């Protein structure tokens, strides 16, 4: 029994170290997004969760984001699992794409104990800088398998612009 | 530690390739445990949930649905494989695992074996 305790401790430590490292390598700082639960969110309180690191008022998640472009189009891909299509609010503001959303906490069983609660719930905002100006009227968004994909058409078709800056 | 129904394991032997560790929620109630895992970008046919011995294994590949000829001007997603393993306690019934995937969220339910379920004992008043 004692050995089991030790093994579990080592396993948990290894997992958290590997998780931090994996996550860091996977993403850049921009992917770290704050989720704020709304007033109506029925998130469990801290004493219903065994996870010592759980804080009900706010949580953070890595929303992996990618921007792809060719001569005509820009495609923004954002990982946001567990959303309803209608809970996205997507806007083009100047040279940035602003994605707002709310991930609701909807669980059928409430009489149990939460052993682990790592997923983030609530409202989030993510601003993605766009590499070129876009035509507002020709934007299209789809949501599949927990990934939001926004297709935008460039105002001025052309190759990705690069400005060389000399260091003096 | 006796009431611990599900344990996370490092599972070093299966870590030959680097994989993403998805965040999970785990709830235990009287009937069993339910695991929710965030797996954005994973289609149903690239998801593999299985029980090996006393270990629940989740393996999944995310698919970047973007034309190959486009140039990435900003890329945060660099790995495409998710993996996470849990050690199941003996009171769970691994033959009755149910899994469903919806908008990037996996839900796995493992019921407790019948002998471990709570039973109501009727007491008759004499």
């Amino acid at each position: 029994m004692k050995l089991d305790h030790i093994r579990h401790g080592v396993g948990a430590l290894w997992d958290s170290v590997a998780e931090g490292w994996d996550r860091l390598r996977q993403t850049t700082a921009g992917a770290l997004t704050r989720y704020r639960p709304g007033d109506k969110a029925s998130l469990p309180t801290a004493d219903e969760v065994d996870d010592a690191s759980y804080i009900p008022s706010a949580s953070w998640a890595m929303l992996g984001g990618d921007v792809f472009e060719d001569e005509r189009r820009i495609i923004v891909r954002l990982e946001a699992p567990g959303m309803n299509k209608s809970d996205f609010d997507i806007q083009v503001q100047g040279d940035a794409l602003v994605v707002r959303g709310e991930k609701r906490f909807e669980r059928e069983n409430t009489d149990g104990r939460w052993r682990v609660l790592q997923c983030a719930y609530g409202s989030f905002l993510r601003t993605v800088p766009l590499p070129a100006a876009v035509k507002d009227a020709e934007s299209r968004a789809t949501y599949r398998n927990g990934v939001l994909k926004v297709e935008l058409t460039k105002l001025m078709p052309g190759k990705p612009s690069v400005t060389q800056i000399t260091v003096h | 530690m006796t009431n611990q129904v599900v344990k996370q394991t490092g599972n070093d032997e299966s870590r030959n390739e680097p994989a993403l560790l998805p965040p999970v929620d785990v709830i235990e109630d009287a009937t069993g445990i339910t695991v929710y895992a965030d797996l954005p970008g994973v289609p149903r046919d690239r998801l593999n949930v299985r029980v090996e011995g006393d270990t629940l294994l989740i393996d999944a590949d995310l698919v970047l649905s973007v034309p190959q000829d486009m140039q990435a001007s900003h890329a945060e997603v660099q790995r495409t494989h998710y993996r996470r393993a849990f050690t199941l306690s003996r009171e769970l019934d691994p033959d009755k695992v149910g899994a469903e995937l919806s908008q990037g969220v996996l839900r796995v339910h493992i019921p407790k074996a019948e002998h471990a379920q709570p039973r109501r004992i009727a007491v008759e008043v004499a």
Side-chain angles (χ1 to χ4, degrees):
Chain A
M1 200 60 222
K2 235 181 185 156
L3 189 67
D4 267 354
H5 279 228
I6 295 161
R7 274 209 195 117
H8 180 234
V10 170
L13 180 70
W14 169 252
D15 251 10
S16 60
V17 169
E19 181 167 33
W21 182 237
D22 268 345
R23 287 279 168 134
L24 205 63
R25 298 229 300 217
Q26 174 212 359
T27 51
T28 62
L32 185 60
T33 305
R34 183 165 190 177
Y35 279 68
R36 290 169 198 274
D39 298 335
K40 285 183 209 151
S42 53
L43 275 172
T45 54
D47 61 329
E48 287 176 278
V49 180
D50 292 343
D51 203 337
S53 57
Y54 172 69
I55 306 163
S57 58
S59 47
W60 297 82
M62 295 288 190
L63 296 192
D66 295 315
V67 181
F68 298 88
E69 65 174 305
D70 63 10
E71 296 205 357
R72 288 184 307 108
R73 290 175 303 161
I74 299 169
I75 294 182
V76 179
R77 187 187 167 280
L78 188 68
E79 296 184 341
M83 300 271 303
N84 293 324
K85 221 165 47 178
S86 55
D87 288 334
F88 281 109
D89 173 36
I90 307 160
Q91 296 175 358
V92 177
Q93 293 182 357
D95 55 358
L97 181 77
V98 180
V99 179
R100 288 185 182 82
E102 185 178 355
K103 186 181 176 191
R104 299 173 194 278
F105 185 80
E106 284 161 356
R107 296 291 184 250
E108 62 271 44
N109 35 12
T110 49
D111 54 344
R113 288 264 330 144
W114 290 96
R115 298 297 183 198
V116 182
L117 205 64
Q118 296 175 330
C119 302
Y121 300 93
S123 306
F124 64 88
L125 170 105
R126 179 84 196 265
T127 306
V128 182
L130 296 173
V134 294
K135 290 182 192 168
D136 293 351
E138 291 178 34
S139 312
R140 208 174 133 259
T142 51
Y143 184 56
R144 262 193 88 211
N145 294 326
V147 177
L148 180 72
K149 196 165 109 181
V150 185
E151 288 191 55
L152 305 149
T153 308
K154 285 187 183 177
L155 201 59
M156 309 275 283
K159 286 206 162 89
S161 65
V162 177
T163 311
Q164 197 71 42
I165 298 169
T166 319
V167 181
H168 294 284
Chain B
M1 209 53 68
T2 46
N3 62 351
Q4 192 84 10
V5 175
V6 61
K7 279 199 273 186
Q8 277 169 235
T9 47
N11 208 20
D12 302 53
E13 23 333 349
S14 63
R15 265 176 208 268
N16 354 349
E17 52 169 322
L20 300 169
L21 200 66
V24 294
D25 292 345
V26 179
I27 188 166
E28 180 190 352
D29 61 20
T31 62
I33 64 153
T34 309
V35 177
Y36 300 89
D38 276 354
L39 299 168
V42 175
R44 205 151 302 200
D45 56 339
R46 303 295 292 272
L47 170 72
N48 183 356
V49 180
R50 62 193 188 278
V51 176
E52 281 177 12
D54 63 347
T55 306
L56 170 72
L57 282 164
I58 299 169
D59 265 299
D61 288 301
L62 75 84
V63 175
L64 285 168
S65 54
V66 167
Q68 289 297 309
D69 55 338
M70 291 187 88
Q71 185 187 337
S73 52
H74 177 79
E76 291 168 354
V77 179
Q78 283 162 16
R79 289 214 195 123
T80 57
H81 189 70
Y82 291 102
R83 174 179 293 140
R84 192 139 187 185
F86 300 91
T87 304
L88 305 175
S89 84
R90 247 171 254 137
E91 62 190 282
L92 295 172
D93 190 345
D95 296 332
K96 290 182 186 157
V97 177
E100 54 197 78
L101 182 67
S102 165
Q103 288 298 12
V105 178
L106 169 72
R107 177 185 179 277
V108 182
H109 182 74
I110 309 160
K112 287 187 184 172
E114 265 171 44
H115 64 83
Q117 299 249 11
R119 265 168 300 186
R120 188 177 289 275
I121 298 161
V123 180
E124 281 177 39
V125 182

